[in-house]
Amino acid sequence: MSHSPAVRPGAPERLARMIRLETVSAELDQRGIADFDRFRDLLAELYPLVHEHLSFERVTDLGLLYRWRGRGDGDSVVLMAHFDVVPADADDGWTFPPFDGRIHDGSVWGRGSLDDKGPLLVVLEAVENLLAEGFVPARDVYLSFGGNEESYGDAAVAAAALLERRGVIPWLVLDEGGAVVDAPLPFLKVPAAMVGVGEKGVMTVRLRARGEGGHASAPPRLTAAARVARAVARLDPNPFPKRMPPSMRAMLASFTPHARGGARLLLRVLTALPWLTARVFGRLGGEPAALVHTTVAPTMLDGGSAANVLPARASATVNLRVAIGEDVDSVVRRLRRAIRDRDVEIEVVEGYAPSPESPTGGPQFAAIADAVAASYPEAITAPYLMMAATDSRHFHRYAPAVYRFAPLAMSAAQRASVHGVDEHVSIDSLERGERFHRALIRSLPE
């Protein structure tokens, strides 16, 4: 794989400028769209060749779609990212203000550096550098950037629908998701590029109860607030069964050759006995447990108007990440059985079923693995099931190969900083991420 020596300097500074635009989609009503428009204009300034050679159109107010025409007429590739970010408060203990875009100690710090402006930057860096060489891809490459992924907005929905109407059936869709990690499992310390081949569904459910209002000095046996609190309590322990999805079995199999001693034996056993694996991972808690069952997270409680007044109504909001094997209807049925109270209403605020799992044995997954080898030669490439939702789920309706991988190295602390405090990306990761996308685009078959 050849690499151009003429890669432009200044990628960290370009990312810093992106971070300084406060594209917080959850606060769009308060902040307005100005920073989102400035972001689009900034891309035109920072990537002149992209804007000279690729066609561009806006999709809704917040979607940016570029088309790079290829040499042949093979099915297109869609590279995705989003440029909106979640809120950040400098008072939460950030080392540097979250929207300063500070470059310090070999890293770029700030909200969006990992999620998802850093991954967006390395796509554009690769395309700009390839254009500078006069390179033309073997097939069309679309760049689809959304401005409201974090608020479950419609920019990516509209982009996917637009390409479908035009008859564009992508050969490969690649969005944010996994990363290069140093310890993919608690007992396995080996660098691994974790490529999401599917993702769990997302549901938000509101539990509601009503009761007699009045003075708190003479309460009934069960107030509306107490009824909702009891319903929430009955969701622990987790009422959903533990299952091992196919992608997880493929993940363990890919790790096995790189493990030693007892770890290798354990991986062989876990691969061969999926029912045991589901139980082991469930006991590990955290990310391993989330892989094997639907997670239940009560996130908001509401009810009452004063400390000495009985609430006439109360509610709890519950966020669920729906595992393979469940759907919206089955989740509601399980919640109903666990709560065991017909006076608690279950309202589905939003609900998306899990995505299908894309293949790991085809040329698309192999192309991703080859690009990983060119950019992170020390890492193995392994499939896994995404626990969070991405914009790429909107392509699953008609695209056969949808994957989720941001080619950046992330330590455990960095992964925890996504949507948290002190989000930052190393400059080395940005360079390797650019190399990944350059290798991937170069290798596209005719």
Side-chain angles (χ1 to χ4, degrees), residues 135-394:
F135 178 80
V136 179
R139 53 182 71 203
D140 285 4
V141 175
Y142 286 88
L143 313 181
S144 180
F145 302 147
N148 53 9
E149 189 272 346
E150 298 289 6
S151 54
Y152 302 106
D154 61 351
V157 178
L162 177 65
L163 293 181
E164 184 181 23
R165 286 198 303 272
R166 292 176 178 172
V168 177
I169 309 299
W171 180 75
L172 166 67
V173 176
L174 184 62
D175 196 5
E176 64 169 336
V180 179
V181 302
D182 50 11
L185 293 174
F187 52 84
L188 186 67
K189 311 295 184 185
V190 57
M194 303 302 297
V195 179
V197 298
E199 64 184 56
K200 297 175 77 174
V202 179
M203 286 182 65
T204 300
V205 171
R206 190 167 292 126
L207 310 180
R208 299 180 187 273
R210 298 181 183 275
E212 294 287 338
H215 200 280
S217 60
R221 188 182 67 83
L222 204 61
T223 67
R227 191 177 291 278
V228 165
R230 187 178 69 177
V232 170
R234 285 176 173 173
L235 299 180
D236 183 27
N238 187 303
F240 290 87
K242 299 175 181 65
R243 302 186 183 100
M244 183 176 173
S247 57
M248 192 168 163
R249 194 168 189 172
M251 176 186 77
L252 296 175
S254 67
F255 289 153
T256 302
H258 304 276
R260 297 288 179 269
R264 176 177 284 195
L265 177 61
L266 177 58
L267 285 168
R268 283 176 174 164
V269 171
L270 293 175
T271 303
L273 301 173
W275 61 270
L276 176 64
T277 304
R279 284 156 181 76
V280 169
F281 273 60
R283 287 187 173 275
L284 288 173
E287 289 187 4
L291 288 170
V292 297
H293 65 188
T294 296
T295 57
V296 182
T299 55
M300 299 170 67
L301 299 171
D302 183 63
S305 57
N308 62 346
V309 176
L310 297 175
R313 60 180 62 86
S315 68
T317 301
V318 181
N319 185 262
L320 302 102
R321 302 302 167 114
V322 184
I324 301 292
E326 300 279 357
D327 58 27
V328 173
D329 291 338
S330 72
V331 166
V332 172
R333 287 195 299 271
R334 288 188 188 278
L335 291 177
R336 172 62 64 201
R337 286 200 297 269
I339 291 170
R340 305 192 307 277
D341 187 342
R342 292 192 175 276
D343 289 325
V344 174
E345 175 192 349
I346 301 176
E347 175 197 1
V348 177
V349 180
E350 63 175 354
Y352 300 99
S355 75
E357 294 183 289
S358 295
T360 59
Q364 296 93 333
F365 192 86
I368 294 170
D370 288 345
V372 169
S375 52
Y376 294 89
E378 71 280 10
I380 60 175
T381 300
Y384 86 114
L385 180 67
M386 278 267 308
M387 290 169 282
T390 70
D391 275 341
S392 67
R393 70 185 184 277
H394 304 300

Side-chain angles (χ1 to χ4, degrees), residues 4-12 14 43 45-50 121 124-129 132 431 434:
S4 167
V7 173
R8 300 184 307 155
R14 288 188 282 277
L43 295 188
E45 175 192 339
L46 298 181
Y47 300 98
L49 295 180
V50 168
L121 172 122
L124 287 169
E125 292 289 319
V127 174
E128 187 81 3
N129 292 330
E431 293 170 350
E434 184 276 341

Side-chain angles (χ1 to χ4, degrees), residues 114-131:
L114 293 172
D115 182 19
D116 191 37
K117 290 177 178 177
L120 182 150
L121 172 122
V122 296
V123 171
L124 287 169
E125 292 289 319
V127 174
E128 187 81 3
N129 292 330
L130 287 169
L131 288 168

